[in-house]
């Protein structure tokens, strides 16, 4: 998963025609670290999506613009437009994340 460190790169990646899922995290967030062990398997399983990691503090302008109020948060994009989100302040389980990714891919497919 690419760690996006600039607003320009963020905009470039989400502009792709395929599904891009931005994972908003911070270094100090225990719930963000909770997902670290299983995210590589999730990413491998759902290889039709491009996953990027966004530090919500380093890219505060992006997080603010997207109303990211809790972390970790997941926002899916296609062609630069948000398609679906999983944003709240609660810890996310692997099952919840996988269900979100499946919905994100289904929404993107429906937009074709």
């Amino acid at each position: 998963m690419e760690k996006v460190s600039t607003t320009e790169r963020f905009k470039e990646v989400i502009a792709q025609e395929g599904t891009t899922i931005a994972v908003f995290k911070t270094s100090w967030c225990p719930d963000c670290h909770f997902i670290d062990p299983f995210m590589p398997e999730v990413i491998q399983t759902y290889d039709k999506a491009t996953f990027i990691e966004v530090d919500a503090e380093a890219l505060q302008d992006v997080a603010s613009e997207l109303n990211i109020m809790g972390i970790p948060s997941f926002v899916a994009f296609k062609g630069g437009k948000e398609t679906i989100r999983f944003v709240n302040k609660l810890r996310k389980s692997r099952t919840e994340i996988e269900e979100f990714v499946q919905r994100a891919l289904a929404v993107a497919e429906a937009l074709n």
Side-chain angles (χ1 to χ4, degrees):
M1 176 163 48
E2 177 184 350
K3 292 184 180 184
V4 173
S5 58
T6 66
T7 301
E8 295 74 25
R9 180 64 181 148
F10 175 80
K11 289 179 180 180
E12 181 181 305
V13 175
I14 68 165
Q16 298 173 17
E17 279 306 308
T19 300
T20 301
I21 297 177
V23 182
F24 288 84
K25 300 168 69 177
T26 64
S27 61
W28 53 263
C29 166
D31 290 342
C32 298
H33 294 296
F34 173 79
I35 69 172
D36 286 343
F38 59 78
M39 279 306 295
E41 291 176 16
V42 172
I43 292 166
Q44 187 174 11
T45 300
Y46 298 98
D47 60 353
K48 289 185 179 181
T50 299
F51 289 81
I52 58 172
E53 182 177 321
V54 181
D55 185 318
E57 287 187 326
L59 293 179
Q60 288 181 357
D61 55 335
V62 172
S64 176
E65 185 177 316
L66 293 172
N67 294 316
I68 303 300
M69 301 297 183
I71 47 173
S73 287
F74 297 78
V75 182
F77 298 89
K78 181 176 181 177
K81 293 186 170 55
E82 181 180 331
T83 57
I84 189 171
R85 62 176 37 219
F86 183 23
V87 176
N88 61 41
K89 63 181 180 178
L90 304 175
R91 175 177 278 189
K92 278 88 172 154
S93 70
R94 179 178 182 157
T95 301
E96 291 172 319
I97 294 168
E98 289 182 340
E99 288 171 353
F100 166 76
V101 174
Q102 290 169 8
R103 285 193 313 271
L105 292 170
V107 167
E109 184 67 29
L111 292 173
N112 282 343

